[in-house]
Amino acid sequence: MTVWRILSFLILLTPVLTLILGLICWRYPPKGPTWALGYRSRRARASREAWQFAQNVAGQIWLCLGLTLTAVFAIVCICLRNRGVETLCQAALICICLLYTSDAADDLIGV
């Protein structure tokens, strides 16, 4: 049972961090264009208004993505809690592969 808890924690770590960083970026965005923090693109750095808009939208997207991923990964972990550790690891790999494949598909079609 301890191994299952450790694996569940590790599986949920990335979605929860995405959720927290999205909330921080949305509620407390960097005040002006910087090279260290925030969503940086040429268009976002064009003006102060564009920068604020880009940070607001990026924070909301990360927040929604974090909520969705946390819910999906939590459901997977809960559904597989009585199974073996191997099953949980396989499910985690499938979830991660699906995330990367959907991201790669978005890159291919230009979204």
Side-chain angles (χ1 to χ4, degrees):
M1 193 66 160
T2 304
V3 174
W4 181 84
R5 287 183 181 157
I6 292 170
L7 284 174
S8 295
F9 171 76
L10 292 174
I11 290 169
L12 291 171
L13 185 64
T14 302
V16 170
L17 285 177
T18 303
L19 185 132
I20 292 169
L21 291 175
L23 187 61
I24 290 171
C25 185
W26 181 38
R27 290 293 187 191
Y28 309 104
K31 300 299 179 205
T34 65
W35 290 99
L37 298 172
Y39 172 73
R40 298 174 306 272
S41 69
R42 186 175 298 156
R43 192 168 184 184
R45 291 189 307 259
S47 68
R48 191 176 243 345
E49 294 81 22
W51 175 261
Q52 292 299 326
F53 179 78
Q55 302 315 306
N56 189 10
V57 171
Q60 290 176 6
I61 290 172
W62 274 51
L63 181 67
C64 291
L65 180 67
L67 282 171
T68 305
L69 291 177
T70 302
V72 169
F73 283 20
I75 289 169
V76 167
C77 288
I78 289 170
C79 289
L80 299 177
R81 77 173 165 231
N82 294 329
R83 311 273 177 146
V85 174
E86 296 82 16
T87 308
L88 187 61
C89 290
Q90 290 170 354
L93 286 174
I94 290 171
C95 288
I96 291 169
C97 289
L98 287 175
L99 288 174
Y100 283 119
T101 356
S102 65
D103 188 39
D106 289 346
D107 289 343
L108 285 176
I109 60 173
V111 175

